[in-house]
Amino acid sequence: MASDTWLIAGLGNPGSRYRHTRHNIGHMVLDELVDRMDAKYTRTKVGAQVVAARLGLGGPKVVLAVSEGYMNTSGKPIRGLIDYFDVDPARLVVVHDEVDLDFGRIKLKRGGSEGGHNGLKSITQHLRGDRDYIRVRVGVSRPPGRMETADYVLQKFSPDQADELPQLVQRAADAVELIITEGLTGAQNTVHQA
């Protein structure tokens, strides 16, 4: 029987080159959650950096994780962490960039398609086709004109977006905490009204 631990995975790419790009908003949200816990990541043998803690005093057990590999290989370390910490895949929360949402919007859902997102595709593949995990979709907007989506998400935020980015990251981190404390439906009721 799986434990009651939650695994929160923030998607992105490693290295300073990608640190402030749209594709790395998942990493930014996880960094915010780690800061809130006044913790530091530790490296694991599965290719991820993690913080294992409780959400609040005596609260639920959580593992916060960012992969040390690239977006399209996100599934392997997440699978390793699920196995190591005995996490029910239904308690996996993946935070990722979403081009189908306007910048600043956040949507929460369980399951569904990967929508062309290579990080989600990798996770679903390593979960043997199971799509029943929770997604925190953080809107980065569609690319302008005929720009390729892959090029767009690997660029830094525009100056106007960069000004609003800290608040967006905080709201996405709040959404993750709400999922854990209030459940997905309760979190949706709060986050989707904003």
Side-chain angles (χ1 to χ4, degrees):
M1 186 166 134
S3 71
D4 62 353
T5 301
W6 289 85
L7 173 59
I8 316 301
L11 300 189
N13 287 312
S16 58
R17 173 181 174 194
Y18 299 106
R19 182 165 291 134
H20 301 291
T21 63
R22 294 177 177 95
H23 224 19
N24 271 41
I25 196 142
H27 279 196
M28 295 175 206
V29 173
L30 267 284
D31 289 347
E32 169 68 19
L33 289 165
V34 168
D35 286 348
R36 290 180 183 188
M37 292 183 174
D38 196 25
K40 291 200 182 315
Y41 290 113
T42 57
R43 298 181 84 176
T44 65
K45 293 180 180 179
V46 299
Q49 296 185 44
V50 303
V51 167
R54 289 196 176 270
L55 188 64
L57 191 61
K61 291 185 271 188
V62 295
V63 176
L64 306 175
V66 293
S67 171
E68 294 181 324
Y70 287 93
M71 179 70 78
N72 61 352
T73 63
S74 300
K76 186 175 181 181
I78 289 172
R79 176 83 235 185
L81 293 170
I82 283 173
D83 292 343
Y84 182 80
F85 288 100
D86 192 28
V87 175
D88 181 341
R91 286 179 174 260
L92 168 63
V93 179
V94 178
V95 185
H96 66 91
D97 58 306
E98 179 57 70
V99 296
D100 289 331
L101 290 175
D102 290 340
F103 176 81
R105 295 202 57 211
I106 299 169
K107 289 284 187 183
L108 313 177
K109 74 172 192 170
R110 180 183 293 281
S113 80
E114 293 80 18
H117 196 291
N118 289 331
L120 297 178
K121 286 180 184 177
S122 177
I123 293 166
T124 299
Q125 175 189 359
H126 282 85
L127 293 180
R128 298 177 188 90
D130 185 352
R131 293 183 166 95
D132 199 32
Y133 51 91
I134 298 171
R135 297 99 185 271
V136 176
R137 304 163 64 218
V138 185
V140 296
S141 300
R142 282 208 134 323
R146 295 177 178 225
M147 181 185 285
E148 290 291 325
T149 300
D151 295 332
Y152 175 73
V153 296
L154 293 177
Q155 290 182 352
K156 293 185 186 322
F157 290 91
S158 70
D160 286 347
Q161 291 174 341
D163 287 344
E164 296 178 39
L165 188 58
Q167 292 80 19
L168 175 57
V169 167
Q170 288 175 13
R171 288 192 296 113
D174 292 344
V176 170
E177 291 180 344
L178 280 171
I179 289 168
I180 296 166
T181 58
E182 305 293 326
L184 179 59
T185 302
Q188 287 171 325
N189 290 339
T190 300
V191 172
H192 295 175
Q193 303 301 321

